Amino acid sequence: MPKAEFPFLADWLAVSLRWLVLVGATVAVSFNDGLNVFSGIILAALLGWNIFITVLALFNRRLKFHRLFNLIADSLMAAGLFIASGGISGPAVWISILALFSAAIYYEWRGILIIGILFSVFEIIWTIAASPETAWTICVYPPLLNAVVGVVAGLISKRLLKGVRSNYQTAVQHRRESDSTIKRQERDQMRAMYQLMETISENLNYKVVLDSAIGLSSAALGLSDDHSHLVGAVLLNGAEGLEVGAARGFTQADMRQTFPGKKGMLAVLSSTADYQLSNDPSSDPELSQLACLHHCKSVLVLPLRRALSNYGVLLYADPDPDFFTENRIEILEMVGRQAAIAIQNARLYHDLELEKDRIIDIQDEARKKLARDLHDGPTQTIAAIAMRLSVIRRMVNQDPKEADAELEHVEELARHTSQEIRHMLFTLRPLVLETEGLIPALNAIAQKNKDTYQQNIIVEVDPILAVQFESASQTVLFYLVEEAVTNARKHAKADTVTIRLQLTRASDIALLEIADDGVGFDLEQVNSAYQNRGSLGMVNLRERSDMINGYLNVITSPGKGTRVQVYIPLTDAATERMQKGKIPLKSS
């Protein structure tokens, strides 16, 4: 069954005519002698046929040989009603117009001529056969009626169909042009989106990414180049609030604006992932300070979010209060999602560069630390040994007994130096950690500090929890402990250090705690030094905590010792909770 893109005009005209004829025939037959069984069947058949054709017309479908079937069906039903209503003397003598107008609609003059002749012959034969005594003059009426109806139908159909078809073809052409324009706009929008994604994927520079997101928004919306009224901007999270990262249509004063994000649309957007739309930007307590929005009647603000990260907002405004339609908002949301991905990639690249610099700094600091430890420890001791050996050489001839005592002291210095060097080698490459695991490595730290520095270290580690950490995480934990213990020995002058590793109240978060009984320190002062990278001990602790997605918490004050706490997530859900600030801090 063929289907067309547009409605069949001829079918709708035929359907309309058929409904009129159906109503007229029903009224005529009913008010004359009443409906009989035969006329009722014919009218019911005409009703069913017209309903069927109407349904086909609604779906723009046609039967095979559709026009011929319509003409034959209308002719047969007209003939049946002519017979059922009493022929030439009945109330439906005019019923031939059903067949004639159907012929005019589908076949114009050719159809009218053929159907007019056939229907006239049929009416004459039926009239004579039904009433042989009928005068031949009466038989002339049907051909005359059909001729008049045929001429009228032909003239009407020719003029009417010509005008209607012309208007119909014009409307179809306009619709096709409109569809073509829409498809072209959709292609332009898709091309702009692909260009945006390509530009974003090829660049890891913030400025290029942000400018591309704003510049290609107009193309993505299908706007022409002369539509210069659209205002756009990327507002990024900064130290003092939202700052203008890139903009189109902003004044120089607008570019220097900063928004706290505490009131109006920006405040709502900070707590939801949905866009905000307003037709009165001048009433917004924060956005109203933008001079470029004074002539705008609608403003749209979209969040720049990626997973749990919030990078800022996208802002668009236009003088047209109805500019931001549902379709345009959807397109701009796509731009916002792509921009958020690009910003995330750019920041990751930036963080990677910083991480590379940080690794270089760590390696440099490790070399400096090793140099300081060698200078302050073994180098000084070896120099002392050399000096004492020189003294012993002179004492051998003068006082051999004193020389023997001095040799014993030199031997003790050499033994202590050897222990210091072994301890340094252990911290540089803890083989016991690689071969036996975390707990033996922590016990080795305790033993070596006891032997070398006479510092008492207590290890309290849950053995079931310890084996849950991967090898890389165990290495980070080892160096966290080593850093904290070294700080406690060198700076806190602590006699006893306790190392604990246990679960918190939340069963999927572990707590590593290194507590000492040393002199403590002013945490606020050290943190301010940390911002200037003046306190590398705190730097190392924070950076190593970040490696395992941990949260560092230091509890200390002068004269009251120090507790270094690192909360470590054991599952992805725990990591997400900790990123949201939900950390079961142990009471201090």
Side-chain angles (χ1 to χ4, degrees), residues 371-388:
R372 287 194 303 268
D373 290 343
L374 288 172
H375 178 270
D376 297 340
T379 303
Q380 297 292 336
T381 307
I382 291 173
I385 290 173
M387 292 175 63
R388 288 183 178 275

Side-chain angles (χ1 to χ4, degrees), residues 146-365:
N146 292 337
V148 172
V149 172
V151 170
V152 172
L155 293 174
I156 292 176
S157 65
K158 183 176 182 179
R159 293 181 177 274
L160 178 63
L161 288 176
K162 182 179 180 180
V164 171
R165 283 172 180 166
S166 176
N167 294 334
Y168 179 75
Q169 290 173 356
T170 301
V172 169
Q173 182 64 26
H174 286 166
R175 179 174 173 181
R176 285 175 176 167
E177 291 176 355
S178 176
D179 291 344
S180 177
T181 301
I182 293 174
K183 290 179 180 179
R184 185 173 61 254
Q185 290 177 347
E186 290 177 349
R187 287 196 301 269
D188 292 341
Q189 291 174 354
M190 292 300 298
R191 190 181 300 111
M193 291 300 299
Y194 283 130
Q195 185 179 353
L196 172 63
M197 288 186 286
E198 183 178 4
T199 303
I200 283 174
S201 62
E202 290 179 350
N203 291 279
L204 293 172
N205 181 281
Y206 269 105
K207 186 63 177 174
V208 174
V209 167
L210 298 181
D211 287 341
S212 298
I214 294 299
L216 293 175
S217 296
S218 297
L221 291 173
L223 303 178
S224 59
D225 294 335
D226 58 354
H227 190 99
S228 58
H229 304 298
L230 181 66
V231 175
V234 180
L235 307 181
L236 296 176
N237 289 332
E240 299 180 0
L242 292 169
E243 302 172 351
V244 181
R248 171 183 173 179
F250 271 40
T251 64
Q252 290 297 324
D254 291 339
M255 294 294 294
R256 296 190 294 270
Q257 294 283 3
T258 301
F259 308 92
K262 301 292 180 64
K263 299 178 181 179
M265 298 173 67
L266 298 180
V268 175
L269 203 66
S270 64
S271 59
T272 179
D274 298 328
Y275 67 85
Q276 296 295 308
L277 180 64
S278 173
N279 288 330
D280 189 15
S282 60
S283 65
D284 189 273
E286 294 191 13
L287 296 181
S288 58
Q289 59 186 305
L290 290 171
C292 62
L293 298 187
H294 291 172
H295 68 285
C296 294
K297 299 299 183 183
S298 59
V299 60
L300 174 70
V301 184
L302 302 159
L304 286 174
R305 293 180 182 271
R306 181 67 177 166
L308 299 176
S309 300
N310 183 13
Y311 300 107
V313 300
L314 267 176
L315 183 147
Y316 295 97
D318 196 86
D320 183 2
D322 301 321
F323 179 79
F324 295 107
T325 61
E326 184 176 348
N327 181 55
R328 285 175 171 169
I329 292 175
E330 185 177 348
I331 292 172
L332 292 176
E333 282 185 315
M334 294 174 60
V335 173
R337 285 192 289 269
Q338 292 298 325
I341 294 173
I343 293 172
Q344 184 184 48
N345 291 339
R347 287 200 172 181
L348 289 174
Y349 178 76
H350 180 67
D351 292 343
L352 184 62
E353 291 292 314
L354 293 178
E355 182 69 13
K356 182 173 67 175
D357 295 338
R358 188 183 67 84
I359 291 173
I360 294 174
D361 290 343
I362 290 174
Q363 292 175 342
D364 185 57
E365 175 58 25

Side-chain angles (χ1 to χ4, degrees), residues 546-567:
D546 291 339
M547 289 180 184
I548 52 176
N549 296 320
Y551 173 80
L552 177 66
N553 182 46
V554 179
I555 304 171
T556 185
S557 60
K560 294 186 178 180
T562 302
R563 293 167 64 184
V564 176
Q565 298 176 331
V566 182
Y567 291 87

Side-chain angles (χ1 to χ4, degrees), residues 334-506:
M334 294 174 60
V335 173
R337 285 192 289 269
Q338 292 298 325
I341 294 173
I343 293 172
Q344 184 184 48
N345 291 339
R347 287 200 172 181
L348 289 174
Y349 178 76
H350 180 67
D351 292 343
L352 184 62
E353 291 292 314
L354 293 178
E355 182 69 13
K356 182 173 67 175
D357 295 338
R358 188 183 67 84
I359 291 173
I360 294 174
D361 290 343
I362 290 174
Q363 292 175 342
D364 185 57
E365 175 58 25
R367 287 192 294 268
K368 291 178 180 179
K369 180 177 182 295
L370 180 59
R372 287 194 303 268
D373 290 343
L374 288 172
H375 178 270
D376 297 340
T379 303
Q380 297 292 336
T381 307
I382 291 173
I385 290 173
M387 292 175 63
R388 288 183 178 275
L389 287 174
S390 178
V391 172
I392 291 171
R393 188 184 300 114
R394 293 193 298 268
M395 292 176 63
V396 168
N397 297 326
Q398 298 175 4
D399 190 352
K401 291 183 178 180
E402 288 293 331
D404 186 60
E406 192 66 29
L407 282 172
E408 290 180 0
H409 186 64
V410 170
E411 182 182 0
E412 181 61 29
L413 285 175
R415 188 178 296 109
H416 181 75
T417 302
S418 176
Q419 289 176 341
E420 281 189 315
I421 294 174
R422 289 178 183 274
H423 183 76
M424 291 179 186
L425 292 173
F426 170 74
T427 56
L428 288 173
R429 180 74 183 277
L431 293 177
V432 65
L433 176 64
E434 299 176 8
T435 57
E436 300 183 36
L438 181 61
I439 295 178
L442 296 180
N443 288 329
I445 286 180
Q447 187 61 45
K448 289 183 179 297
N449 274 271
K450 180 70 172 177
D451 295 341
T452 307
Y453 304 110
Q454 290 74 51
Q455 186 182 42
N456 186 29
I457 296 180
I458 302 171
V459 179
E460 298 176 358
V461 176
D462 183 347
I464 298 177
L465 176 60
V467 298
Q468 295 184 30
F469 292 99
E470 297 178 352
S471 175
S473 298
Q474 289 187 12
T475 301
V476 175
L477 292 175
F478 173 84
Y479 282 110
L480 271 168
V481 171
E482 191 272 332
E483 184 70 39
V485 169
T486 301
N487 291 340
R489 184 184 75 250
K490 287 187 173 182
H491 307 296
K493 306 296 189 293
D495 295 326
T496 303
V497 179
T498 302
I499 303 169
R500 297 188 183 93
L501 180 61
Q502 58 192 11
L503 287 173
T504 61
R505 292 190 300 269

